[in-house]
Amino acid sequence: NFRRCLNFVKNMVRSFHISPRHTRISATVFSSGARRIFSFGSYRTKGQVLRAINRIRYPRGGTKIGRALNYVRRYVFAGSRRKKVLIVMTDGKSYDRVGGPAASLKRMGVKIFSFGIGRKYNMRQLMQIATTRRHVYTASFRTMSRVIRAIKRKACQGK
């Protein structure tokens, strides 16, 4: 299922024009801790981003989304003046609090989408994470690619 998640991420990336002047991508994986795979300025083309995603390995450990949200606030989005969009994908319930860390990101102007996959996610947590109720998505591992267009459309709205 981790490979399916990476394929979803690659399909999402394919739907954008990737370049220093247009859309830039950063990737962070999390379990009990968070680890940035690459930063917004690391890759200049869609092909480079896709190759980097192919190299991502499964992070072992528990699910601590709150810790991951704090990490991306401090190390991924800090200092950015561009439009900020975060897509949080999870197939499980977080074992830490997500409301406070999500609120901090929202105050920074980050538009957050939460995406629960499979059956073990917690809908209440997805609602706390997302910017609005309309930014919450759920799907099975087999049908997850169906939400790409909807997320892209909402991510690109506004300024």
Short mmCIF file of all heavy atoms in Angstrom, two decimals, residues 11-46:
data_model
loop_
_atom_site.label_atom_id
_atom_site.label_comp_id
_atom_site.label_asym_id
_atom_site.label_seq_id
_atom_site.Cartn_x
_atom_site.Cartn_y
_atom_site.Cartn_z
N ASN A 11 1.26 10.87 -9.32
CA ASN A 11 0.17 11.32 -10.20
C ASN A 11 -0.25 12.75 -9.87
O ASN A 11 -0.58 13.53 -10.77
CB ASN A 11 -1.02 10.36 -10.13
CG ASN A 11 -0.72 9.05 -10.82
OD1 ASN A 11 0.08 8.99 -11.74
ND2 ASN A 11 -1.37 7.99 -10.37
N MET A 12 -0.22 13.10 -8.60
CA MET A 12 -0.53 14.48 -8.20
C MET A 12 0.53 15.42 -8.78
O MET A 12 0.21 16.45 -9.37
CB MET A 12 -0.58 14.59 -6.67
CG MET A 12 -0.89 15.97 -6.15
SD MET A 12 -2.53 16.59 -6.52
CE MET A 12 -3.51 15.64 -5.41
N VAL A 13 1.79 15.06 -8.66
CA VAL A 13 2.89 15.88 -9.19
C VAL A 13 2.74 16.03 -10.70
O VAL A 13 2.92 17.13 -11.24
CB VAL A 13 4.26 15.26 -8.82
CG1 VAL A 13 5.40 15.89 -9.62
CG2 VAL A 13 4.51 15.40 -7.32
N ARG A 14 2.40 14.96 -11.38
CA ARG A 14 2.25 15.01 -12.85
C ARG A 14 1.18 16.02 -13.29
O ARG A 14 1.23 16.53 -14.40
CB ARG A 14 1.90 13.64 -13.40
CG ARG A 14 3.06 12.69 -13.44
CD ARG A 14 2.66 11.35 -14.09
NE ARG A 14 3.72 10.39 -13.97
CZ ARG A 14 3.72 9.36 -13.11
NH1 ARG A 14 2.67 9.12 -12.34
NH2 ARG A 14 4.76 8.54 -13.05
N SER A 15 0.22 16.30 -12.41
CA SER A 15 -0.87 17.20 -12.80
C SER A 15 -0.49 18.68 -12.71
O SER A 15 -1.27 19.54 -13.10
CB SER A 15 -2.11 16.92 -11.93
OG SER A 15 -1.95 17.43 -10.63
N PHE A 16 0.71 18.99 -12.21
CA PHE A 16 1.14 20.38 -12.06
C PHE A 16 2.29 20.71 -13.00
O PHE A 16 3.04 19.84 -13.43
CB PHE A 16 1.62 20.64 -10.62
CG PHE A 16 0.51 20.71 -9.61
CD1 PHE A 16 0.14 19.59 -8.90
CD2 PHE A 16 -0.15 21.91 -9.38
CE1 PHE A 16 -0.89 19.64 -7.98
CE2 PHE A 16 -1.18 21.97 -8.46
CZ PHE A 16 -1.55 20.85 -7.76
N HIS A 17 2.43 22.00 -13.29
CA HIS A 17 3.59 22.50 -14.04
C HIS A 17 4.68 22.78 -13.01
O HIS A 17 4.58 23.74 -12.24
CB HIS A 17 3.20 23.79 -14.80
CG HIS A 17 4.33 24.37 -15.58
ND1 HIS A 17 4.44 24.18 -16.93
CD2 HIS A 17 5.41 25.09 -15.20
CE1 HIS A 17 5.55 24.79 -17.35
NE2 HIS A 17 6.14 25.34 -16.31
N ILE A 18 5.72 21.97 -12.97
CA ILE A 18 6.77 22.09 -11.96
C ILE A 18 7.91 22.93 -12.54
O ILE A 18 8.45 22.61 -13.58
CB ILE A 18 7.32 20.70 -11.55
CG1 ILE A 18 6.20 19.75 -11.14
CG2 ILE A 18 8.39 20.84 -10.47
CD1 ILE A 18 5.41 20.18 -9.94
N SER A 19 8.25 23.99 -11.84
CA SER A 19 9.39 24.84 -12.21
C SER A 19 9.61 25.85 -11.09
O SER A 19 8.72 26.06 -10.26
CB SER A 19 9.15 25.56 -13.54
OG SER A 19 8.31 26.67 -13.35
N PRO A 20 10.77 26.49 -11.04
CA PRO A 20 11.02 27.50 -9.99
C PRO A 20 10.01 28.65 -10.01
O PRO A 20 9.75 29.25 -8.98
CB PRO A 20 12.43 28.00 -10.31
CG PRO A 20 13.08 26.85 -11.01
CD PRO A 20 11.98 26.22 -11.83
N ARG A 21 9.42 28.96 -11.17
CA ARG A 21 8.48 30.07 -11.27
C ARG A 21 7.03 29.64 -11.08
O ARG A 21 6.16 30.48 -10.93
CB ARG A 21 8.63 30.78 -12.61
CG ARG A 21 9.99 31.46 -12.73
CD ARG A 21 10.11 32.26 -13.98
NE ARG A 21 9.09 33.31 -13.98
CZ ARG A 21 8.58 33.83 -15.08
NH1 ARG A 21 8.96 33.41 -16.26
NH2 ARG A 21 7.67 34.77 -15.00
N HIS A 22 6.76 28.35 -11.14
CA HIS A 22 5.38 27.87 -11.03
C HIS A 22 5.22 27.07 -9.74
O HIS A 22 5.45 27.59 -8.67
CB HIS A 22 5.00 27.07 -12.27
CG HIS A 22 4.92 27.90 -13.51
ND1 HIS A 22 5.99 28.06 -14.36
CD2 HIS A 22 3.92 28.65 -14.01
CE1 HIS A 22 5.64 28.88 -15.35
NE2 HIS A 22 4.39 29.24 -15.15
N THR A 23 4.85 25.83 -9.86
CA THR A 23 4.66 24.98 -8.69
C THR A 23 5.98 24.36 -8.26
O THR A 23 6.73 23.85 -9.09
CB THR A 23 3.65 23.87 -9.01
OG1 THR A 23 2.42 24.46 -9.43
CG2 THR A 23 3.40 22.99 -7.79
N ARG A 24 6.23 24.42 -6.96
CA ARG A 24 7.40 23.76 -6.39
C ARG A 24 6.90 22.73 -5.38
O ARG A 24 5.88 22.93 -4.74
CB ARG A 24 8.32 24.77 -5.72
CG ARG A 24 8.85 25.78 -6.74
CD ARG A 24 9.83 26.76 -6.18
NE ARG A 24 9.34 27.38 -4.96
CZ ARG A 24 10.14 27.96 -4.07
NH1 ARG A 24 11.44 27.98 -4.26
NH2 ARG A 24 9.64 28.53 -3.00
N ILE A 25 7.63 21.64 -5.25
CA ILE A 25 7.21 20.51 -4.43
C ILE A 25 8.24 20.24 -3.35
O ILE A 25 9.44 20.30 -3.60
CB ILE A 25 7.06 19.24 -5.30
CG1 ILE A 25 6.12 19.45 -6.48
CG2 ILE A 25 6.63 18.04 -4.47
CD1 ILE A 25 4.66 19.53 -6.15
N SER A 26 7.74 19.90 -2.16
CA SER A 26 8.57 19.38 -1.08
C SER A 26 7.90 18.10 -0.60
O SER A 26 6.68 17.98 -0.68
CB SER A 26 8.66 20.40 0.06
OG SER A 26 9.40 19.87 1.13
N ALA A 27 8.67 17.16 -0.10
CA ALA A 27 8.10 15.91 0.40
C ALA A 27 8.68 15.59 1.78
O ALA A 27 9.89 15.69 1.98
CB ALA A 27 8.37 14.76 -0.56
N THR A 28 7.80 15.23 2.68
CA THR A 28 8.17 14.81 4.04
C THR A 28 7.42 13.52 4.34
O THR A 28 6.23 13.42 4.05
CB THR A 28 7.79 15.89 5.06
OG1 THR A 28 8.47 17.11 4.75
CG2 THR A 28 8.15 15.46 6.48
N VAL A 29 8.09 12.53 4.89
CA VAL A 29 7.43 11.32 5.35
C VAL A 29 7.43 11.33 6.87
O VAL A 29 8.28 11.96 7.50
CB VAL A 29 8.08 10.02 4.81
CG1 VAL A 29 7.94 9.94 3.31
CG2 VAL A 29 9.52 9.92 5.24
N PHE A 30 6.45 10.63 7.45
CA PHE A 30 6.38 10.60 8.90
C PHE A 30 5.88 9.25 9.38
O PHE A 30 5.23 8.51 8.68
CB PHE A 30 5.47 11.72 9.43
CG PHE A 30 4.01 11.55 9.08
CD1 PHE A 30 3.16 10.89 9.95
CD2 PHE A 30 3.50 12.04 7.90
CE1 PHE A 30 1.82 10.72 9.65
CE2 PHE A 30 2.16 11.88 7.57
CZ PHE A 30 1.32 11.22 8.45
N SER A 31 6.25 8.96 10.60
CA SER A 31 5.74 7.83 11.37
C SER A 31 5.76 8.34 12.80
O SER A 31 5.08 9.30 13.11
CB SER A 31 6.59 6.58 11.14
OG SER A 31 7.93 6.82 11.50
N SER A 32 6.62 7.78 13.65
CA SER A 32 6.78 8.33 15.00
C SER A 32 7.49 9.68 14.95
O SER A 32 7.32 10.52 15.82
CB SER A 32 7.59 7.37 15.87
OG SER A 32 6.90 6.14 15.96
N GLY A 33 8.31 9.88 13.93
CA GLY A 33 9.00 11.15 13.68
C GLY A 33 8.77 11.56 12.25
O GLY A 33 8.13 10.84 11.48
N ALA A 34 9.28 12.70 11.88
CA ALA A 34 9.13 13.19 10.51
C ALA A 34 10.52 13.37 9.89
O ALA A 34 11.49 13.67 10.59
CB ALA A 34 8.38 14.51 10.49
N ARG A 35 10.58 13.20 8.57
CA ARG A 35 11.85 13.37 7.86
C ARG A 35 11.56 13.99 6.50
O ARG A 35 10.78 13.46 5.71
CB ARG A 35 12.51 12.01 7.69
CG ARG A 35 13.86 12.06 7.01
CD ARG A 35 14.55 10.70 7.05
NE ARG A 35 13.74 9.64 6.51
CZ ARG A 35 13.84 9.19 5.26
NH1 ARG A 35 14.73 9.69 4.43
NH2 ARG A 35 13.07 8.20 4.84
N ARG A 36 12.18 15.14 6.26
CA ARG A 36 12.02 15.79 4.96
C ARG A 36 12.85 15.02 3.94
O ARG A 36 14.04 14.80 4.13
CB ARG A 36 12.44 17.26 5.02
CG ARG A 36 12.21 17.98 3.72
CD ARG A 36 12.49 19.45 3.80
NE ARG A 36 13.76 19.69 4.48
CZ ARG A 36 14.07 20.83 5.06
NH1 ARG A 36 13.24 21.84 5.05
NH2 ARG A 36 15.24 20.97 5.65
N ILE A 37 12.21 14.65 2.85
CA ILE A 37 12.88 13.92 1.78
C ILE A 37 13.57 14.91 0.85
O ILE A 37 14.72 14.72 0.47
CB ILE A 37 11.88 13.05 1.00
CG1 ILE A 37 11.17 12.07 1.93
CG2 ILE A 37 12.57 12.32 -0.15
CD1 ILE A 37 12.08 11.10 2.65
N PHE A 38 12.87 15.98 0.48
CA PHE A 38 13.48 17.06 -0.30
C PHE A 38 12.70 18.35 -0.08
O PHE A 38 11.54 18.33 0.32
CB PHE A 38 13.60 16.71 -1.79
CG PHE A 38 12.32 16.32 -2.48
CD1 PHE A 38 11.48 17.29 -3.03
CD2 PHE A 38 11.96 14.99 -2.60
CE1 PHE A 38 10.31 16.93 -3.67
CE2 PHE A 38 10.79 14.62 -3.23
CZ PHE A 38 9.97 15.59 -3.77
N SER A 39 13.36 19.47 -0.30
CA SER A 39 12.81 20.80 -0.08
C SER A 39 12.22 21.37 -1.36
O SER A 39 12.45 20.85 -2.45
CB SER A 39 13.91 21.74 0.41
OG SER A 39 14.47 21.25 1.59
N PHE A 40 11.55 22.52 -1.23
CA PHE A 40 10.93 23.16 -2.38
C PHE A 40 11.93 23.50 -3.48
O PHE A 40 11.62 23.38 -4.65
CB PHE A 40 10.20 24.44 -1.96
CG PHE A 40 8.95 24.17 -1.17
CD1 PHE A 40 8.84 24.57 0.14
CD2 PHE A 40 7.87 23.52 -1.76
CE1 PHE A 40 7.69 24.31 0.87
CE2 PHE A 40 6.71 23.26 -1.04
CZ PHE A 40 6.62 23.66 0.28
N GLY A 41 13.12 23.90 -3.13
CA GLY A 41 14.10 24.29 -4.13
C GLY A 41 15.01 23.18 -4.60
O GLY A 41 15.91 23.42 -5.41
N SER A 42 14.79 21.96 -4.14
CA SER A 42 15.71 20.87 -4.47
C SER A 42 15.68 20.47 -5.94
O SER A 42 16.71 20.12 -6.51
CB SER A 42 15.39 19.63 -3.63
OG SER A 42 15.58 19.89 -2.26
N TYR A 43 14.50 20.49 -6.55
CA TYR A 43 14.37 20.01 -7.92
C TYR A 43 13.63 21.04 -8.77
O TYR A 43 12.68 21.66 -8.32
CB TYR A 43 13.63 18.66 -7.96
CG TYR A 43 14.35 17.62 -7.15
CD1 TYR A 43 13.84 17.17 -5.94
CD2 TYR A 43 15.56 17.10 -7.59
CE1 TYR A 43 14.52 16.23 -5.19
CE2 TYR A 43 16.24 16.16 -6.84
CZ TYR A 43 15.71 15.73 -5.64
OH TYR A 43 16.39 14.81 -4.90
N ARG A 44 14.08 21.19 -10.01
CA ARG A 44 13.56 22.23 -10.89
C ARG A 44 12.58 21.70 -11.94
O ARG A 44 11.88 22.48 -12.57
CB ARG A 44 14.71 22.94 -11.59
CG ARG A 44 15.69 23.57 -10.61
CD ARG A 44 16.90 24.14 -11.29
NE ARG A 44 16.62 25.23 -12.19
CZ ARG A 44 16.48 26.51 -11.83
NH1 ARG A 44 16.61 26.84 -10.57
NH2 ARG A 44 16.21 27.42 -12.73
N THR A 45 12.55 20.38 -12.14
CA THR A 45 11.68 19.82 -13.18
C THR A 45 10.81 18.70 -12.61
O THR A 45 11.13 18.10 -11.58
CB THR A 45 12.50 19.23 -14.35
OG1 THR A 45 13.19 18.07 -13.89
CG2 THR A 45 13.49 20.25 -14.92
N LYS A 46 9.75 18.42 -13.33
CA LYS A 46 8.84 17.34 -12.95
C LYS A 46 9.57 16.00 -12.91
O LYS A 46 9.39 15.20 -11.99
CB LYS A 46 7.68 17.30 -13.94
CG LYS A 46 6.54 16.43 -13.52
CD LYS A 46 5.41 16.46 -14.54
CE LYS A 46 4.83 17.85 -14.66
NZ LYS A 46 3.61 17.89 -15.48
#
